[in-house]
Amino acid sequence: MLGLASSAFNLIIVEGMMAYIKSCTELEARQVLNNKEWTVTKSQLWAFVAILFARGAYEAKNLKYSYLWSTKWGPAFFAQTMSRDKFTDILWFIRFDRKNERSERLKTDKFALISKIWEEFIENCQACYKPDANITIDEQLFPTKARCRFTQYMPNKPDKFGIKFWLASDVRSKYLVNGFPYLGKDEIRGPNISLSEFVVTKLAEPYLGCGRNITTDNFFTSISLAKKLLAKKTTLVGTIRANRKELPKIAKAKKDKMTKFSTKLYR
């Protein structure tokens, strides 16, 4: 079973991606340490990833990394997989782009520090899985306090600070089928297109015209979006905000004469 999980994971995080991360990480470490001999192997990078996953599986995300190697508190897995010093080095120096090329790429790509790896990750996710009939679209805040232009503060989330991603997932399996980060104003989005409609249509685009259904919450749901999706053989299910101008008055009324569990359809 472990081998099967590993081979499936290698279809999404492929060898080329790990080779690129290895190259970027070594470049950063050698420049910072002024040590041309510093290196990290692919096996060590995979072990590093395994420790990150194991930390989550042990539900120890709030536990300091140093404690994981403690003979008193830490499971033996961590010390057996990698030394604490090597893990700390990789954690400090790991990079997903080449810094000497970054300034030029940032002119056209706000997400340049990781966009190459992220885009290939999404492509691999889509190539490896055909989603079921129902896809859900929502936002997720990945916690971080790193200083960047698109860090979000969302007081209603468990982690208040982070980078917000728009994600599309298969409802049945929870498998990620598309996603992109929120980086502020997007020049690609037209002036007459709302952010919610832009996000849904961009995430659903690979799966339109196939008779699928999109599920959204009240940030995204609107009648205009439903009509646009329906024109592409895709249905929409979602809650809708009561203050939407497009809603009929009866839908906004707190009291009405409709029979409980009945439905009225409007054209």
Side-chain angles (χ1 to χ4, degrees):
M1 182 62 72
L2 182 60
L4 183 62
S6 175
S7 61
F9 191 80
N10 286 336
L11 292 174
I12 298 175
I13 308 296
V14 297
E15 282 295 316
M17 295 167 70
M18 294 301 283
Y20 182 74
I21 295 171
K22 167 180 159 64
S23 171
C24 297
T25 302
E26 288 179 339
L27 182 64
E28 174 70 11
R30 291 170 182 177
Q31 289 177 342
V32 173
L33 299 174
N34 194 24
N35 177 5
K36 295 182 179 180
E37 303 300 320
W38 194 95
T39 187
V40 59
T41 67
K42 289 183 183 178
S43 296
Q44 288 171 331
L45 277 178
W46 282 116
F48 175 81
V49 172
I51 287 173
L52 296 180
F53 269 87
R55 183 176 180 239
Y58 279 107
E59 297 182 350
K61 73 171 188 174
N62 294 320
L63 191 65
K64 290 183 178 179
Y65 278 111
S66 58
Y67 293 167
L68 300 177
W69 280 263
S70 167
T71 55
K72 182 177 181 180
W73 303 105
F77 165 82
F78 296 98
Q80 292 171 356
T81 302
M82 176 182 286
S83 72
R84 184 180 66 181
D85 289 345
K86 189 62 179 182
F87 178 87
T88 303
D89 283 348
I90 297 174
L91 184 65
W92 185 261
F93 294 119
I94 192 165
R95 294 295 183 274
F96 305 93
D97 75 319
R98 296 187 175 97
K99 190 180 288 186
N100 56 353
E101 304 170 356
R102 184 180 297 171
S103 58
E104 187 64 28
R105 288 182 293 103
L106 281 170
K107 294 178 182 178
T108 56
D109 180 7
K110 297 178 184 177
F111 205 48
L113 276 69
I114 195 173
S115 60
K116 176 179 171 63
I117 295 297
W118 175 259
E119 288 166 7
E120 189 169 351
F121 167 72
I122 292 296
E123 288 175 4
N124 293 341
C125 285
Q126 294 175 350
C128 293
Y129 186 82
K130 182 179 179 180
D132 208 351
N134 299 294
I135 295 173
T136 185
I137 289 176
D138 206 349
E139 65 180 27
Q140 182 169 344
L141 190 73
F142 289 88
T144 180
K145 291 188 178 180
R147 293 183 179 181
C148 67
R149 290 179 291 176
F150 43 84
T151 300
Q152 297 281 299
Y153 171 67
M154 302 182 72
N156 60 324
K157 300 289 186 181
D159 296 290
K160 311 299 182 187
F161 295 90
I163 298 175
K164 183 166 71 175
F165 280 74
W166 308 111
L167 303 175
S169 302
D170 179 84
V171 171
R172 180 177 57 83
S173 66
K174 312 301 186 294
Y175 183 95
L176 178 69
V177 294
N178 208 352
F180 63 94
Y182 175 68
L183 306 175
K185 185 178 179 181
D186 195 325
E187 289 77 12
I188 299 175
R189 178 164 61 95
N192 298 323
I193 302 175
S194 67
L195 175 61
S196 57
E197 288 192 12
F198 172 77
V199 169
V200 173
T201 52
K202 183 174 180 178
L203 290 175
E205 195 276 332
Y207 308 104
L208 297 177
C210 303
R212 285 188 171 88
N213 174 75
I214 305 296
T215 303
T216 57
D217 66 14
N218 61 21
F219 173 76
F220 302 99
T221 311
S222 68
I223 293 176
S224 60
L225 174 62
K227 289 179 177 179
K228 289 179 181 178
L229 292 176
L230 193 59
K232 298 182 179 181
K233 299 180 181 179
T234 305
T235 55
L236 177 70
V237 172
T239 55
I240 189 167
R241 292 178 177 175
N243 60 356
R244 294 273 190 184
K245 294 181 180 179
E246 56 204 12
L247 279 180
K249 290 182 179 180
I250 191 171
K252 299 180 181 180
K254 294 182 179 180
K255 294 183 180 181
D256 56 59
K257 297 180 180 179
M258 283 182 61
T259 307
K260 195 173 183 180
F261 302 120
S262 64
T263 301
K264 284 189 177 182
L265 300 178
Y266 293 85
R267 289 187 178 273

